[in-house]
């Protein structure tokens, strides 16, 4: 959609700097059928099988070529992603850690250089995300790390193979917030007056055709992702896809 966060100049320039833009796609599709949160798999299987969607939704192949899924979709293997957060205060904890991961002035604390899973670590933020033996590995519980907002944040912090990472925390939080608002439709609960997320977010883990799996990604990486956000209010599905391509 033309007004999407992904077409915003600031977001695009940051995603480019973090090397996420070139291997990323985002599409929005309207759906007409009745849908219940528990029927995400059926809805997304049908959607990915639609001729127009097959034309628009492309995935990255080995050699850096964008192609369609390449055939009818028999089943999409999806899992529901928690998306209950309506505030950004989970990130305050990064300044409250001891020693702080993010200093009072917004600087991300540096650490000794290391490499994990092909990602360079030079600050405590990336170290927390990549090193399970880190002193900070338990700053967030497994449930919190599964929340969509935290997943988006991790993706932008880690970036692509040629990521120019930030010294300050603010750009990561700002872009995470904008992408989260793009994917999640929030509305007020009429009875409590509280804002809550109406969208259901799914992670598309695999897509199966008649003869077996239709590849989604050219190689294996934690920075491969395909999220589908179903907005039941506007009857809209937004698919956000990224494939990690190593440089060597």
């Amino acid at each position: 959609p033309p007004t999407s966060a992904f077409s915003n100049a600031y977001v695009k320039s940051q995603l480019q700097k973090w090397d996420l833009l070139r291997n990323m796609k985002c599409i929005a599709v309207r759906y007409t059928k009745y849908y219940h949160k528990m029927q995400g798999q059926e809805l997304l299987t049908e959607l990915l099988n639609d001729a127009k969607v097959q034309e628009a939704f492309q995935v990255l192949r080995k050699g850096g070529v964008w192609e369609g899924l390449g055939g009818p979709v028999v089943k999409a293997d999806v899992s529901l992603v928690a998306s209950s957060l309506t505030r950004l205060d989970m990130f305050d904890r990064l300044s409250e850690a001891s020693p702080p991961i993010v200093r009072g002035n917004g600087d991300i604390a540096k650490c000794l250089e290391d490499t994990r899973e092909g990602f360079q670590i030079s600050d405590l933020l990336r170290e927390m995300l990549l090193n399970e033996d880190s002193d900070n590995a338990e700053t967030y519980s497994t449930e919190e790390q599964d929340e969509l907002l935290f997943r988006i944040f991790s993706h932008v912090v880690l970036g692509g193979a040629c990521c120019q990472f930030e010294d300050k925390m603010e750009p990561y939080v700002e872009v995470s917030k904008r992408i989260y608002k793009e994917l999640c439709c929030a509305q007020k609960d009429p009875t409590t007056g509280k804002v809550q997320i109406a969208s259901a977010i799914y992670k598309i883990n695999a897509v199966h055709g008649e003869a077996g799996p239709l590849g989604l990604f050219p190689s294996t990486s934690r920075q491969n992702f395909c999220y589908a956000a179903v907005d039941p209010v506007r009857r809209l599905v937004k698919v956000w896809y990224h494939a990690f391509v190593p440089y060597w």
Side-chain angles (χ1 to χ4, degrees):
T3 54
S4 117
F6 294 108
S7 56
N8 171 276
Y10 172 73
V11 173
K12 277 178 84 167
S13 70
Q14 290 301 130
L15 292 173
Q16 188 163 13
K17 184 182 178 188
W18 302 329
D19 193 29
L20 288 168
L21 198 62
R22 66 193 174 103
N23 299 328
M24 190 186 99
K25 286 259 190 275
C26 185
I27 64 163
V29 186
R30 291 209 177 277
Y31 67 93
T32 47
K33 278 190 67 172
Y34 169 77
Y35 149 82
H36 182 271
K37 199 169 181 171
M38 292 290 111
Q39 295 170 312
Q41 188 150 322
E42 291 88 330
L43 177 73
L44 293 171
T45 299
E46 224 168 278
L47 201 77
L48 290 173
N49 212 10
D50 180 88
K52 280 209 168 81
V53 175
Q54 286 236 349
E55 212 173 291
F57 179 61
Q58 296 198 317
V59 296
L60 203 60
R61 302 288 181 210
K62 277 193 165 56
V65 183
W66 288 96
E67 282 180 359
L69 282 170
V73 173
V74 176
K75 182 188 163 200
D77 167 21
V78 308
S79 44
L80 197 57
V81 175
S83 52
S84 64
L85 303 176
T86 53
R87 292 165 50 189
L88 297 170
D89 51 4
M90 77 180 315
F91 299 124
D92 297 347
R93 220 174 299 165
L94 296 168
S95 325
E96 292 155 6
S98 177
I101 298 167
V102 177
R103 298 200 179 96
N105 63 357
D107 283 354
I108 300 164
K110 299 290 180 208
C111 69
L112 290 171
E113 295 274 334
D114 191 6
T115 307
R116 297 259 165 157
E117 297 176 47
F119 296 96
Q120 189 186 340
I121 297 176
S122 51
D123 59 51
L124 290 180
L125 184 55
R126 290 166 75 90
E127 199 245 0
M128 174 192 81
L129 295 173
L130 290 163
N131 181 0
E132 50 204 38
D133 303 322
S134 158
D135 295 344
N136 297 310
E138 289 174 12
T139 306
Y140 295 94
S141 67
T142 309
E143 288 72 30
E144 288 171 320
Q145 291 180 43
D146 280 341
E147 279 278 345
L148 179 68
L149 180 59
F150 191 87
R151 286 170 179 246
I152 295 169
F153 176 71
S154 303
H155 290 317
V156 299
V157 170
L158 294 178
C162 206
C163 175
Q164 303 169 53
F165 25 89
E166 301 295 324
D167 295 320
K168 294 264 185 205
M169 175 69 171
E170 198 267 333
Y172 292 138
V173 174
E174 182 59 30
V175 171
S176 300
K177 178 183 82 176
R178 293 191 195 195
I179 293 176
Y180 188 67
K181 284 176 84 169
E182 176 67 38
L183 297 177
C184 294
C185 159
Q187 54 179 182
K188 262 192 180 161
D189 183 319
T191 47
T192 63
K194 277 189 176 164
V195 174
Q196 57 184 24
I197 304 294
S199 304
I201 315 292
Y202 302 92
K203 187 163 191 263
I204 301 175
N205 303 307
V207 178
H208 299 274
E210 287 156 346
L214 301 166
L216 274 178
F217 306 106
S219 59
T220 313
S221 169
R222 64 184 287 156
Q223 284 293 78
N224 287 337
F225 55 82
C226 186
Y227 295 109
V230 182
D231 175 347
V233 182
R234 288 176 293 186
R235 301 181 80 78
L236 203 60
V237 180
K238 291 176 183 172
V239 181
W240 181 36
Y241 168 95
H242 176 263
F244 183 83
V245 179
Y247 262 115
W248 53 87

